[in-house]
Amino acid sequence: MSQSTESSTESNPFSKPGFIIAAALVVALIAAAVVIFLLPKGQDTAQPAPGTAASANPATASPSARAGAGKSVCGLPSSTETALGAAPKSKWELVGKIAAPTDPKTFGPGVTDEDGFRSCFAKSPTGALYAATNILAMGSSGDPVLNRKATDQLLMPGPGRDIARADSSSKSTSNSTVQFRGFVIKSYSPSAANVDIAFQTDKGLLGHAALPLQWADGDWKLAIADSGQLINEIAQLRDLSGFIPWSGA
């Protein structure tokens, strides 16, 4: 079974302007993974590779650089480490449909609101990893209120966030799920991180996506292009080679 590259691109939600971080994100991960798995051989596999942080509008990157020296908004400890070569020992909680890591006193989320909104992550490689996975997990809740809150507070300011905010009331649900299976910290500095996360669908398919984060206002936030596009890489994996295995479900 095959599908043309052109039609795959049209069906892939990550390639469309206005792609939002919200409940639709997890559904989009699944949909994008399925599209990629249907591509002709020779186009359907990828492995993580070293890379720079995904590009964002320089205008949105500048505030992050200025805020890079700031401390955690809820007082979580920072670290001088710039790499993460082993999986952290993590406690996992079900957030929406995804098992997400939690360590409120060390890595985050340091704050969990009554509505389930999770924020405040440590200024460290592990804190960046916890931030990326918790933000994705919140997107699986299907709650438009939580969706809007995450859009407002966990995306870097700029035209892309405005696009996401305009669509953040959308509610998207799916019976399918994904779970985290591993990670690679592709790059890290006190002001920016690029976290590559491997996931598996409930059908057993493996894929990965790279998420760019920036440190601003005492927390990690997702960088987003002016077009509203967030995920910069989405690809099938043959296996988890090259990733550090890490999962809570």
Side-chain angles (χ1 to χ4, degrees):
M1 184 175 183
S2 64
Q3 183 171 318
S4 70
T5 302
E6 181 178 358
S7 60
S8 298
T9 301
E10 292 176 352
S11 301
N12 187 341
F14 295 100
S15 66
K16 297 179 180 179
F19 173 74
I20 60 173
I21 173 67
L25 176 55
V26 174
V27 178
L29 276 172
I30 297 168
V34 171
V35 167
I36 290 167
F37 299 145
L38 295 178
L39 289 174
K41 291 183 179 180
Q43 301 180 47
D44 63 348
T45 56
Q47 297 296 323
T52 57
S55 61
N57 186 342
T60 59
S62 296
S64 173
R66 292 194 295 270
K71 295 182 179 180
S72 163
V73 70
C74 67
L76 292 181
S78 60
S79 170
T80 58
E81 295 179 350
T82 59
L84 187 58
K89 294 181 179 179
S90 305
K91 176 183 177 182
W92 299 81
E93 294 179 346
L94 190 63
V95 179
K97 297 179 180 180
I98 297 179
T102 179
D103 188 340
K105 295 183 178 180
T106 308
F107 302 120
V111 178
T112 300
D113 296 347
E114 291 184 0
D115 59 9
F117 178 69
R118 301 157 79 87
S119 63
C120 187
F121 296 90
K123 193 178 186 181
S124 68
T126 304
L129 174 64
Y130 274 44
T133 48
N134 272 269
I135 292 170
L136 287 176
M138 280 191 287
S140 70
S141 70
D143 184 345
V145 175
L146 186 59
N147 173 11
R148 178 62 178 261
K149 198 169 183 178
T151 300
D152 286 344
Q153 299 188 32
L154 296 177
L155 291 186
M156 288 295 295
R161 188 178 70 174
D162 295 341
I163 293 173
R165 182 183 288 119
D167 291 333
S168 63
S169 60
S170 299
K171 185 175 182 179
S172 180
T173 59
S174 172
N175 292 327
S176 298
T177 60
V178 298
Q179 297 296 337
F180 304 127
R181 289 293 178 257
F183 71 91
V184 174
I185 305 295
K186 298 180 71 175
S187 62
Y188 178 85
S189 74
S191 62
N194 198 15
V195 182
D196 200 353
I197 298 173
F199 60 89
Q200 185 175 34
T201 73
D202 55 2
K203 304 300 182 182
L205 305 175
L206 293 171
H208 75 114
L211 280 75
L213 301 173
Q214 294 186 9
W215 183 263
D217 301 324
D219 204 357
W220 290 109
K221 301 182 187 295
L222 285 168
I224 187 166
D226 286 354
S227 64
Q229 186 173 340
L230 173 65
I231 301 299
N232 299 94
E233 297 177 5
I234 176 74
Q236 180 188 4
L237 293 171
R238 300 185 191 92
D239 52 45
L240 294 175
S241 299
F243 284 90
I244 298 172
W246 186 60
S247 180

